[in-house]
Amino acid sequence: MNQHITMDAEIIDLYWRRDELAIQRTAEHYGALCLRVAMNILGNAADAEECVNDTYLKAWKSIPPARPTVLSAFLTKITRNLALDRYRASRRQKRNGEFTVMLSELGDCIPAPEETNATALLGDIKAFLYGLDELDRNLFVGRYFHAYEVGKLARGYGMTPNAVSVRLHKTREKLRIYLQERGYHI
Amino acid sequence: MMKTNGLSAFELLSELDDGMIAAATLPEEGGIITGKRTRKDRSDREPGAFARFMDSNWAAAIISMTVALAVLMGIIAAGRMAPKNAPGEEMNGPANGPANGPGIPAGTHQDVLEGVPGQSDGFIDNENNEPMAPGEMPDQEQDDVPGEAERQPVNSLVTGPVTVTVGSQTFAPLGMVTSWVERTDDGGTITTDKGTLALDRLEEVRNELTQVVSHSGGAMLITIPEDAFITNIIVYDEAMEHIVRDKRAAITPELPVGEYLVEVGIRRMRTDGTGEDVEYLFLLTVEENMAEEILYITAGKESFAVTGYPLYKSYYDSELGEQVNVDMPGATGNLEALHDVLPLVTLMQEKSFDLIPVNQDWELVSLDLYDDEYAPLGTVHAAEIPYLEPQVYTVVATYYFRNSDMEMAVEFPFRLAIHEKEVETVKEPNLESEPETEWVAGETGFAE
């Protein structure tokens, strides 16, 4: 972890010095991650590549003034939002089936934020996630933040895809009940 | 509150804490993964014979499966039957019955099982990558050589049909290998899911799947090797959200009409006790299609499925206030015309012979026996069949289907070849002064 913090600090310093090497370093260390997240959402390599390039541009524009503590999370959030914009814009096109499935899973356990207090909802979701054991939390975030395929998660965590699916299913059920107990209608 | 499509919820999760996000980033993406499970428990999954076979012969396997699919469709079109596991047969034994079942064209079953025609057991010699001699087992030590540098895919993605046997049910939907097994530097293996790709492809073959499943019990395609068994069968709803059936629950007839995703895990065991796992994921469409219900005939460990022809259907017409019987086209069953497509069941004398209805709604009405020239020989009881004189018969099994909605008589014609009971004579060795002793095959030892 320390190695990552040091590396992140060096890259962020490059951004602050307006050194274009910052983009190169970002691409070297986090390009694959951003591309993966974009691909997970868009399911299209060309769109995902463009998304990643836009991520670098947006990071360049955002740092400074931003000084992210975890660069990977900062970048993936940007990528994620950019990819979502593209996803919405491409409604008439063929959709990424796996991502649609993932959204469907999420829609069954989390109410629409626009119909409730989104800040409170997010707080409750975070509290729920922190209450999970580490593996379940990572699987949930991996699936519903990074939009990883189940198989990808299984490989990363040394589990079978089925075991990952079952654990995710249980976590979603727990979250749904947890939120319902707090007055959310799902 | 309206149900969200998940998009806004997904967007909301953009605001999760950075540490939480970073912790869940997979290591190959640049993350520092925590809470990661050790792969130790998977390290025993050496890429053994089956995996190497899949690797070395994936192209041949695809070709074979393509051919098998064509055969399947031909069989379906002809209304033929297929062999299947014996009802109730344990799944951890040999997964399928003996090689080609009667009525199945040569090569349909076993050749596809082996992947390469003529290859005896599917094992590949590790050194020269050539098929091993029949009965020869792969060198186990070679599987365990650590430090192999190459990370090579052992199971390439194989598209093609798979036959799944669950309890007494067999069906042959198109399936795909969704796991990609790779050998790691330390000699272990890791498995990558290919489910997304498989799902995408499966969408393309949805119609074919529907057709195949509605003729469930079709030809054996990819089959389960004899040293393999099904480790799990899980039926999900179409969104893969809920588990509809778990483990070895019977699938085909019992499932409500609808679409499902079915995950089947198959493990092939090796002599050292380790095994290779292959997972299949496929879309299953269950349609209500009474005329194509399958009758299974069990003879010893061999099972066969016969496509039937409905005679008539009966229902209560509320407007008329009476029972209505409607003859079904082709119900008379011209046996001569059917001859070429009738499945042939071979049966050894005195072997068990059970006619198994697909569920409790089916009732056996009669078994009408004809000789091979269609001269009627009368009605027989199922229990009498194993004791018939050795010859070829045509049998018409008539079933009556009845549930709360309708009634229907269905005829299942098939040809039956009765063979004489085989008796193997064995000379007892080194007992010259003793009279020769006959040993009937199947007995446990020599006669005293």
Side-chain angles (χ1 to χ4, degrees):
Chain A
M1 179 67 94
N2 288 336
Q3 187 184 351
H4 272 254
I5 292 171
T6 305
M7 183 180 68
D8 281 3
E10 289 173 356
I11 295 173
I12 290 166
D13 281 345
L14 290 171
Y15 276 105
W16 274 79
R17 292 202 300 268
R18 312 311 291 160
D19 186 340
E20 291 183 11
L21 191 58
I23 303 293
Q24 187 180 326
R25 290 282 182 268
T26 301
E28 286 170 7
H29 293 287
Y30 298 115
L33 171 62
C34 293
L35 186 64
R36 166 60 61 186
V37 170
M39 271 294 291
N40 288 347
I41 294 171
L42 298 169
N44 178 297
D47 286 350
E49 286 280 0
E50 281 190 42
C51 218
V52 173
N53 288 331
D54 290 346
T55 301
Y56 300 150
L57 178 63
K58 191 147 190 172
W60 180 258
K61 289 179 177 175
S62 304
I63 312 173
R67 189 177 278 279
T69 51
V70 183
L71 187 56
S72 63
F74 179 82
L75 293 169
T76 47
K77 283 179 177 178
I78 294 174
T79 305
R80 206 169 175 273
N81 291 333
L82 291 171
L84 272 180
D85 288 344
R86 279 179 182 269
Y87 181 86
R88 286 196 178 93
S90 64
R91 276 190 183 280
R92 290 176 186 275
Q93 298 174 16
K94 187 182 177 186
R95 310 303 291 268
N96 176 8
E98 174 69 15
F99 184 64
T100 306
V101 169
M102 191 278 292
L103 288 181
S104 168
E105 293 171 1
L106 210 50
D108 285 345
C109 65
I110 296 179
E114 57 267 26
E115 297 181 30
T116 184
N117 182 334
T119 306
L121 175 60
L122 180 65
D124 283 331
I125 292 171
K126 285 181 184 176
F128 170 81
L129 292 176
Y130 279 118
L132 293 174
D133 70 44
E134 195 172 27
L135 178 61
D136 283 334
R137 180 169 62 245
N138 286 346
L139 288 174
F140 186 92
V141 176
R143 175 73 171 152
Y144 302 114
F145 179 88
H146 296 285
Y148 287 129
E149 299 162 10
V150 168
K152 183 88 176 170
L153 286 170
R155 177 177 171 176
Y157 287 91
M159 302 165 68
T160 65
N162 180 52
V164 172
S165 294
V166 170
R167 290 191 83 120
L168 284 170
H169 175 73
K170 288 178 179 174
T171 302
R172 288 197 307 272
E173 277 301 295
K174 283 182 194 171
L175 175 58
R176 187 179 59 79
I177 293 167
Y178 177 90
L179 293 176
Q180 282 176 335
E181 286 173 352
R182 277 149 186 80
Y184 296 99
H185 297 285
I186 301 169
Chain B
M1 181 173 293
M2 285 181 62
K3 187 179 169 183
T4 171
N5 65 3
L7 198 59
S8 54
F10 183 78
E11 193 169 24
L12 180 73
L13 296 183
S14 285
E15 302 306 319
L16 289 178
D17 294 344
D18 287 355
M20 196 183 281
I21 294 165
T25 306
L26 297 181
E28 58 263 45
E29 317 281 14
I32 309 161
I33 203 158
T34 57
K36 183 178 181 302
R37 283 191 165 186
T38 173
R39 287 180 181 156
K40 187 171 184 297
D41 59 338
R42 300 176 68 82
S43 63
D44 60 345
R45 294 184 181 180
E46 297 293 332
F50 185 54
R52 291 197 308 279
F53 159 68
M54 296 299 285
D55 176 43
S56 304
N57 295 278
W58 67 271
I62 289 174
I63 293 168
S64 297
M65 285 180 282
T66 304
V67 171
L69 177 61
V71 172
L72 167 68
M73 301 314 286
I75 289 172
I76 288 171
R80 287 199 168 187
M81 67 173 186
K84 61 178 287 297
N85 265 26
E89 185 178 347
E90 284 296 318
M91 299 309 295
N92 57 359
N96 283 307
N100 287 358
I104 300 300
T108 302
H109 174 194
Q110 196 68 16
D111 291 351
V112 176
L113 162 64
E114 307 298 352
V116 178
Q119 185 175 316
S120 64
D121 54 12
F123 291 133
I124 301 296
D125 187 293
N126 221 11
E127 285 187 345
N128 53 21
N129 204 35
E130 290 177 353
M132 298 177 75
E136 188 179 353
M137 293 298 291
D139 185 352
Q140 298 296 332
E141 291 182 2
Q142 293 192 10
D143 291 338
D144 300 323
V145 176
E148 185 165 326
E150 283 187 283
R151 286 165 59 87
Q152 50 184 330
V154 183
N155 286 345
S156 297
L157 182 67
V158 178
T159 60
V162 60
T163 294
V164 180
T165 302
V166 190
S168 62
Q169 310 298 335
T170 298
F171 53 98
L174 294 176
M176 289 188 178
V177 175
T178 57
S179 293
W180 185 294
V181 182
E182 292 177 280
R183 177 171 291 186
T184 58
D185 293 347
D186 60 3
T189 59
I190 52 178
T191 304
T192 305
D193 182 75
K194 292 290 178 187
T196 302
L197 180 58
L199 281 174
D200 290 342
R201 290 296 310 279
L202 283 168
E203 284 295 315
E204 299 170 15
V205 295
R206 175 190 294 265
N207 292 336
E208 294 168 71
L209 281 166
T210 301
Q211 188 174 3
V212 171
V213 172
S214 66
H215 288 78
S216 58
M220 290 291 186
L221 299 168
I222 294 179
T223 57
I224 303 163
E226 289 189 357
D227 55 352
F229 58 92
I230 293 176
T231 53
N232 68 21
I233 295 178
I234 300 174
V235 183
Y236 300 93
D237 60 7
E238 195 181 13
M240 221 168 177
E241 170 69 18
H242 302 293
I243 293 175
V244 181
R245 296 277 194 279
D246 200 355
K247 299 299 176 187
R248 295 169 184 171
I251 290 179
T252 318
E254 289 82 0
L255 283 175
V257 170
E259 292 181 336
Y260 305 90
L261 283 166
V262 183
E263 181 181 284
V264 180
I266 295 170
R267 175 170 297 173
R268 184 170 187 177
M269 297 306 296
R270 292 166 49 195
T271 53
D272 63 359
T274 60
E276 296 79 45
D277 291 334
V278 179
E279 288 179 344
Y280 294 88
L281 186 70
F282 55 84
L283 188 70
L284 173 68
T285 303
V286 176
E287 288 190 331
E288 196 167 24
N289 194 343
M290 298 305 305
E292 293 170 345
E293 288 282 5
I294 301 302
L295 170 71
Y296 294 113
I297 299 169
T298 301
K301 284 188 174 181
E302 296 185 44
S303 293
F304 313 91
V306 185
T307 302
Y309 305 86
L311 297 173
Y312 64 89
K313 65 179 177 183
S314 175
Y315 61 93
Y316 181 79
D317 189 319
S318 55
E319 288 185 9
L320 293 176
E322 62 185 31
Q323 197 77 13
V324 177
N325 294 328
V326 179
D327 286 332
M328 301 292 284
T332 53
N334 184 331
L335 291 177
E336 289 187 23
L338 288 173
H339 182 275
D340 289 339
V341 295
L342 285 183
L344 178 65
V345 176
T346 58
L347 186 67
M348 203 71 71
Q349 273 190 326
E350 296 185 23
K351 271 194 175 180
S352 64
F353 187 91
D354 298 313
L355 290 170
I356 310 297
V358 289
N359 59 38
Q360 294 179 344
D361 294 328
W362 293 82
E363 176 191 352
L364 177 64
V365 176
S366 65
L367 280 172
D368 296 309
L369 200 64
Y370 303 80
D371 68 15
D372 210 27
E373 301 299 322
Y374 310 108
L377 299 175
T379 300
V380 294
H381 189 276
E384 299 175 67
I385 287 186
Y387 305 100
L388 292 172
E389 288 296 315
Q391 69 174 68
V392 176
Y393 300 90
T394 295
V395 182
V396 178
T398 303
Y399 271 78
Y400 204 80
F401 173 82
R402 180 188 295 109
N403 66 13
S404 57
D405 298 320
M406 67 178 300
E407 298 175 358
M408 179 189 289
V410 180
E411 207 174 63
F412 295 96
F414 58 95
R415 296 172 67 233
L416 176 69
I418 302 289
H419 297 291
E420 285 186 3
K421 180 180 177 180
E422 285 185 351
V423 178
E424 184 181 358
T425 303
V426 179
K427 289 184 178 179
E428 188 172 7
N430 302 323
L431 293 172
E432 293 178 4
S433 60
E434 296 289 331
E436 290 183 357
T437 305
E438 283 193 348
W439 181 30
V440 178
E443 292 183 359
T444 54
F446 294 106
E448 292 287 327

